[in-house]
Amino acid sequence: MGIKVEHVSKDFEDFKALDDISLEVPDGSLTALLGPSGSGKSTLLRLIAGLEHADGGKVYLDGRDVTEMSVQERGIGFVFQHYAAFKHMTVRDNIAFGLAIRKTPKDKIRSRVKELIRLVQLNGMAHRYPSQLSGGQRQRMALARALAAEPKLLLLDEPFGALDAKVRKELREWLRKLHDEVHVTTIFVTHDQEEAMDVAEQIVVMNEGRIEQVGEPKELYEHPKTEFVMSFVGEVNRFGDALIRPHDLDLALFKSDGAEEAMIERVSHLGFEVRVELSMANGDHAWAQVTRAQAEELELEEGQIIFARPSRAKVFENGDGPPTAPTDELQVA
Amino acid sequence: MSGATAQAETLPRPAFRPRLGSALLSRGLVTTYLSIMVLIPIVALILKSFEGGLAGFWDAVTQPQSLEALRVTVFIALIVTVINCIVGTAIAWVLVRDEFPGKRLLNSLIDLPFALPTIVAGITLLALYGNDSPIGIDIAYTSTAVAMALLFVTLPFVVRAVQPTLIELDQDMEEAAASLGASSMTIFRKIVLPNLRPAILAGAALAFARAIGEFGSLVLLAGNTQIASIYIFAKIESGDTEGAAAVSVVLLVAAVVILLAIGRFARRGLPV
């Protein structure tokens, strides 16, 4: 189901949650709404679902104006951060709920529930209650429940936010695979840029109720349109007006053009990656990301003097005003 | 997902409970207290009821007036309890989910029946719905008046039992049900009500227990309506303490049976 949002605004008392948002999501895509808390991403998702009512603007699903339509009529699947499991029902009855209230024939419900339990890998747990499941299992149950009535649109509000890191990683990989299998248009909300880049085909970066940029993960990382996007989708160092990614800061033992002197404050070995915290000659702090091999070659250690040279930097005009295009992509090399 | 996932997602462990060797002490304390306050008086009551032997007990209980009093009392208490479940839940709902001016005042008014001496409630109701009722409703000395008085004194139970559960109720569940296509009515019936059921029934049990034993508010109102507590009082006044005890014991047994049934129903179909 293709989605179109046109000039949508939403206020909560004196807080502007959404400020004139327009967005298109193609049919069958997997899209992430990414932003910090309070950026309006969940509000936008709930508005598309029909769980919130817009103060202004229109929402179209499959070209149909659904702005005034209730959540019940929109035929969507919604997954909540804290599972929203029906505590008084078994896994089976949770999953069957959407079908049961539509008076679907019993044998049809039974076969559909069986199919979904297999899909979300809850085999043998049909008669358990949500309280007897782990967080990851509960969320998979919630997904099966949302998918039961075959919605054309699946909306997930921070679906993995309440899970621990390992389970989260496995579930998001699983969500991507599921999307390949089921092909339902999917939008999920997250504040975790890595999660968005890992799972989504298209990312919508939001900040303070506005959309900063829409694009594929690689595009956002390589060509951020605003300073906010650049600093939100990856780590950055600030050198005056320029923003530099830590892996774009080359370290050398000898001075070269464009290199600045720095003292190593700390070296953290994180496996393949080594983080080098630097104190620049002008007093600024920065950090560089190098490989283990590079760190060994340079024999990096605390207190050492080193020369840091940005291989790639970006300058944005006026970070305070409305988002503007970067004026220049400095290639210092 | 791989098999390793299932292992990684461990079930929540039961909460850690400190064992301070206090179990014996606290259990002893509870047993002693309950014995002094509840168990021994009940045993004394039962013994008293059998002072005239089994025949005397049977005689006292099977007197037509006794049977009538017990029947009417349990019947009215049950009706009052059912009304309380419905109205009490509705009031709790309004107090938790709605915003309106005067909500806090209304909330504190709910406990008023507890604070008022029940005989005052009886007099008030009599003045309002009695012979010279200012609003033209004369129901004094009827079972309707008894039910009204009982509704008044038992009002807080269901409201106060349901309120905290309703506050804690995860509203995401209701939104999830709505997203699955459930109407407001279906959401209430299939999601809200089952989750409130234990609280409603806990309040109902208290209300029923109170209604079955209520005396103060009824003593002026009941008139010819045979109410167990008043009947028992009359028996004591006429010196028939054994008979009073016998009727009390039957009332007690009826209360225990109904309370157990309510408790059973409250737990039915709940996750372990």
Side-chain angles (χ1 to χ4, degrees), chain A residues 46 71-72 76 78 80 84-89 97 101-102 121 129 132-134 136-137 140 145 166-167 170 174, chain B residues 1 5 8-12 170 172-173 175-183 186 190-191 194-195 269 271-272:
Chain A
R46 292 171 58 83
V71 58
Q72 282 95 342
I76 50 128
F78 201 98
F80 296 78
F86 301 147
K87 294 189 202 83
H88 57 296
M89 294 183 192
F97 186 85
I101 58 169
R102 282 182 182 76
Q121 294 168 2
Y129 284 95
Q132 297 164 314
L133 302 179
S134 70
Q137 289 167 342
R140 278 183 277 147
R145 184 177 68 184
K166 191 167 185 288
V167 178
E170 281 161 355
W174 179 79
Chain B
M1 221 171 325
T5 313
E9 296 171 45
T10 47
L11 288 170
D170 181 9
D172 281 358
M173 277 198 287
E175 289 195 334
S179 77
L180 293 166
S183 64
T186 307
K190 302 243 163 154
I191 306 296
N195 280 288
V272 282

Side-chain angles (χ1 to χ4, degrees), chain B residues 119-139:
Chain B
I119 191 139
V120 177
I123 293 167
T124 311
L125 285 173
L126 197 58
L128 203 54
Y129 303 121
N131 284 334
D132 28 56
S133 162
I135 49 176
I137 302 173
D138 181 6
I139 51 164

Side-chain angles (χ1 to χ4, degrees), chain A residues 54-71:
Chain A
D55 294 337
K58 298 258 179 223
V59 179
Y60 299 89
L61 300 182
D62 260 348
R64 211 150 61 101
D65 184 353
V66 298
T67 316
E68 297 302 323
M69 213 181 255
S70 72
V71 58

Side-chain angles (χ1 to χ4, degrees), chain B residues 155-214:
Chain B
L155 169 73
F157 291 109
V158 172
V159 179
R160 291 300 186 225
V162 170
Q163 251 179 327
T165 312
L166 200 51
I167 290 169
E168 291 293 312
L169 191 69
D170 181 9
Q171 289 195 40
D172 281 358
M173 277 198 287
E174 292 158 57
E175 289 195 334
S179 77
L180 293 166
S183 64
S184 307
M185 199 53 225
T186 307
I187 294 171
F188 185 77
R189 256 185 33 239
K190 302 243 163 154
I191 306 296
V192 176
L193 211 51
N195 280 288
L196 293 184
R197 193 183 65 191
I200 294 174
L201 292 174
L206 289 172
F208 175 77
R210 173 71 195 266
I212 213 170
E214 174 61 15

Side-chain angles (χ1 to χ4, degrees), chain B residues 46-263:
Chain B
I46 294 171
L47 287 179
K48 184 81 192 166
S49 69
F50 283 100
E51 252 173 22
L54 202 61
F57 178 87
W58 190 248
D59 224 35
V61 172
T62 50
Q63 275 178 30
Q65 284 158 301
S66 305
L67 287 177
E68 174 70 1
L70 287 167
R71 196 185 62 76
V72 168
T73 306
V74 172
F75 181 70
I76 296 180
L78 281 176
I79 288 179
V80 163
T81 305
V82 170
I83 295 175
N84 258 315
C85 284
I86 299 165
V87 179
T89 304
I91 293 174
W93 182 274
V94 168
L95 286 176
V96 172
R97 290 289 173 92
D98 289 352
E99 286 302 330
F100 53 91
K103 176 171 150 173
R104 288 170 70 113
L105 181 71
L106 182 66
N107 190 28
S108 39
L109 279 180
I110 299 292
D111 289 327
L112 211 61
F114 281 168
L116 216 56
T118 47
I119 191 139
V120 177
I123 293 167
T124 311
L125 285 173
L126 197 58
L128 203 54
Y129 303 121
N131 284 334
D132 28 56
S133 162
I135 49 176
I137 302 173
D138 181 6
I139 51 164
Y141 318 122
T142 65
S143 43
T144 313
V146 171
M148 292 275 285
L150 292 180
L151 281 173
F152 178 80
V153 296
T154 59
L155 169 73
F157 291 109
V158 172
V159 179
R160 291 300 186 225
V162 170
Q163 251 179 327
T165 312
L166 200 51
I167 290 169
E168 291 293 312
L169 191 69
D170 181 9
Q171 289 195 40
D172 281 358
M173 277 198 287
E174 292 158 57
E175 289 195 334
S179 77
L180 293 166
S183 64
S184 307
M185 199 53 225
T186 307
I187 294 171
F188 185 77
R189 256 185 33 239
K190 302 243 163 154
I191 306 296
V192 176
L193 211 51
N195 280 288
L196 293 184
R197 193 183 65 191
I200 294 174
L201 292 174
L206 289 172
F208 175 77
R210 173 71 195 266
I212 213 170
E214 174 61 15
F215 177 75
S217 63
L218 303 181
V219 69
L220 297 173
L221 262 181
N224 291 329
T225 314
Q226 292 288 359
I227 295 300
S229 60
I230 297 169
Y231 179 72
I232 291 165
F233 180 67
K235 281 227 170 249
I236 293 169
E237 286 225 297
S238 63
D240 182 9
T241 37
E242 292 86 37
V247 175
S248 299
V249 167
V250 175
L251 195 63
L252 209 62
V253 170
V256 169
V257 168
I258 289 170
L259 291 179
L260 283 176
I262 291 176

